[in-house]
Amino acid sequence: MNRPALASFRDRINRAFLQPEALLVPELIRMLGDYGRQETEDFAKRLLGAIRGQHNQASPFEAFLQEYSLDSAEGIVLMSMAEALLRIPDQATQNRFLREKLADADWHSHVLHSDSLMVNLASSALLLSGKVEQRIRLHALDHHPSLFAGLLSRLGEPLIRNAVKQAMQYLAQHFVLAERIDVALDRAAAQPGYRYSFDMLGEAALTTADAERYFQAYSQAIATLATVAGADLFANPGISIKLSALYPRYEALQASRAIPAIGEKLLPLIKQARTANISVTLDAEEAERLQMSLTIFAELVQHPALAGWHGLGLAVQAYQKRAMAVIDWLAELAKQQQRVIPLRLVKGAYWDTEIKRAQENGWSDYPVFTRKAATDVSYLACAKAILSRPEAFYPQFATHNAHTVAAICRLGQDHPGFEFQRLHGMGQPLYDRLLETHPLLRCRVYAPVGGYRDLLPYLVRRLLENGANTSFIHQAENTAISPETLCRDPVLALQDAEPAPIALPEDLFAPQRKNSQGLNLTDLGLLQQWQADLAEFSGKTWQAAPLVSGQAYAGDTITVFSPFDRSAVVGQAACSPPQASEMARKRAT
């Protein structure tokens, strides 16, 4: 294996982490080149027209998100209710929370505003609930609450609380395929024409017990999928694995422990999947974990037990500035290992978190693009690079955007085979229309499987994606937005009307002051250099003493031990005596 070549690609990935957007975007536009912009836009408009032609068949859920989008005050209220009620444990706190949220929102403006009868009924119910909660609040301010107030509280609040919980259950059913993998398989079989990739619902493990529970869930899922697997690896259902679910300290500062620990957990799962002829994709997570993910992936690809197998894949996020460098590294890895890597290209689902983390850490720039159009351009440039290497990649394009779908269809018209991917509960009208007119194309559904208690983080991300006013899914049903606007080339959007990027992290508090500057502790090279620098001082014994009138006090000393290794002596510290202030005063006089 040519390890120096791979190391040079990893250096490129590291350097691109916080690359200025203004320097990177022109290069991506150059790499994308002419991909048939007019033909792509025309195709995207036809897809959009077909979706809007099915407007009367829109589900109550889609109509509800259209009415209560996240650019409305009421939409934000409902979002906070969906998020909070899943984690508030006691009924008293739930009642107080509902009383505040429902009473202060303007539900009246949404009554009879939607074309959906179900949405209008929901708006009327929210209006009535708000009035009930307002009345309860008014009587609660009375020093002698009336019988009427008590009756409202006993009858109204439990009813409202249960109704909201049932609504959350409905949301769960929309985004989560089933609670058990065997039921999920049965439901997937009822959707002919789609392939499936299953994900065990849940986020990062917080304890060793969590990690073991997730490990067993993945293993059981693979065993169940093996019962329906055929000879075609990519036609079979697959499984997606979150690395953070397999170890409770999947952090850059714990890389020396986390990488081998996760590798030990992953290897038996992937061996099991290979035996079952089930493909495995390692999911993308926060930007600070990317370097560790790549190291784990490379070690698995090079493992002798997996030699010659093409079922181990990786998700790459196009909104990260390192996406193109990661693709180049993966291509070199595939070449050296003589294998095809399934590569799922996604736009990314942690944008808000990435922006906030960069600001908190005081980095010089952001690891993700700050403009949606820049992410769209990055996605298309990465898609072109992936499609140009059929010997290295089996492309899997996860998108719900009609323009992106149309562009990939054009870029991949001579490709031997690729597939689209969508999330369960999202994008089905788009792909139903696409597969009707292009039956040779393939689409895989990314389907979470799990219980209600693991729903919260996934549900919040999906609601944000569906309800965001820049989301294609949200805009597709809004006929006030013209097809020309919705299907516009993102390159032109960047050049013309796209707003300026958000302020850099250092300008977060401008013009009052500069943000504090931080170091990128996710840079494994920087951490290794720090460890080497600290090692030079490992044998030194330090001496500390208080200064009394400018002179070190040489009194009684205590031995200071390392806080993480109580057998290691750091040095000796002299303690300031109680009479130190008096000694200082006498010396001064």
Side-chain angles (χ1 to χ4, degrees), residues 6 233-234 279-282 297-298 301-302 309-316 326-344 386 389-396:
L6 284 175
L233 174 65
F234 296 121
S279 62
V280 175
T281 299
L282 304 188
F297 183 79
V301 166
Q302 298 165 28
W309 186 54
H310 306 299
L312 179 59
L314 188 69
V316 174
V326 170
I327 291 170
D328 291 339
W329 175 79
L330 287 171
E332 178 65 21
L333 182 63
K335 175 184 175 182
Q336 293 190 22
Q337 291 297 308
Q338 298 182 341
R339 69 164 64 208
V340 173
I341 296 175
L343 199 160
R344 176 193 294 159
I386 294 167
R389 297 175 167 112
E391 76 288 349
F393 301 123
Y394 174 66
Q396 300 170 312

Side-chain angles (χ1 to χ4, degrees), residues 340-456:
V340 173
I341 296 175
L343 199 160
R344 176 193 294 159
L345 185 65
V346 303
K347 291 186 179 178
Y350 303 92
W351 188 86
D352 301 85
T353 299
E354 302 292 6
I355 294 297
K356 181 52 63 179
R357 287 287 292 159
Q359 293 170 342
E360 290 174 347
N361 290 327
W363 290 343
S364 61
D365 212 311
Y366 296 103
V368 297
F369 294 105
T370 59
R371 295 174 290 181
K372 179 183 181 300
T375 295
D376 291 340
V377 170
S378 173
Y379 191 98
L380 293 182
C382 290
K384 182 177 181 180
I386 294 167
L387 289 166
S388 69
R389 297 175 167 112
E391 76 288 349
F393 301 123
Y394 174 66
Q396 300 170 312
F397 299 110
T399 178
H400 305 113
N401 186 292
H403 183 276
T404 305
V405 168
I408 290 171
C409 287
R410 181 165 180 81
L411 288 168
Q413 56 189 346
D414 298 323
H415 194 274
F418 64 89
E419 68 181 38
F420 287 105
Q421 295 193 357
R422 68 172 180 85
L423 292 168
H424 172 67
M426 295 175 63
Q428 184 167 349
L430 170 64
Y431 283 105
D432 283 349
R433 304 292 85 75
L434 178 68
L435 298 180
E436 284 176 2
T437 56
H438 297 75
L440 296 181
L441 291 175
R442 296 289 180 262
C443 180
R444 186 180 301 271
V445 179
Y446 180 96
V449 178
Y452 183 72
R453 71 189 185 98
D454 293 319
L455 172 66
L456 175 58

Side-chain angles (χ1 to χ4, degrees), residues 175-179 184 197-201 423-424 446-450 458 462:
F175 288 117
V176 179
L177 185 58
E179 291 192 7
S197 180
F198 298 101
D199 169 41
M200 298 300 100
L201 195 63
L423 292 168
H424 172 67
Y446 180 96
V449 178
Y458 184 82
R462 298 294 81 83

Side-chain angles (χ1 to χ4, degrees), residues 267 270-271 274 299-311 337-339:
L267 186 58
I270 296 175
K271 286 181 178 179
R274 178 177 186 173
E299 291 177 355
L300 290 170
V301 166
Q302 298 165 28
H303 197 282
L306 303 177
W309 186 54
H310 306 299
Q337 291 297 308
Q338 298 182 341
R339 69 164 64 208

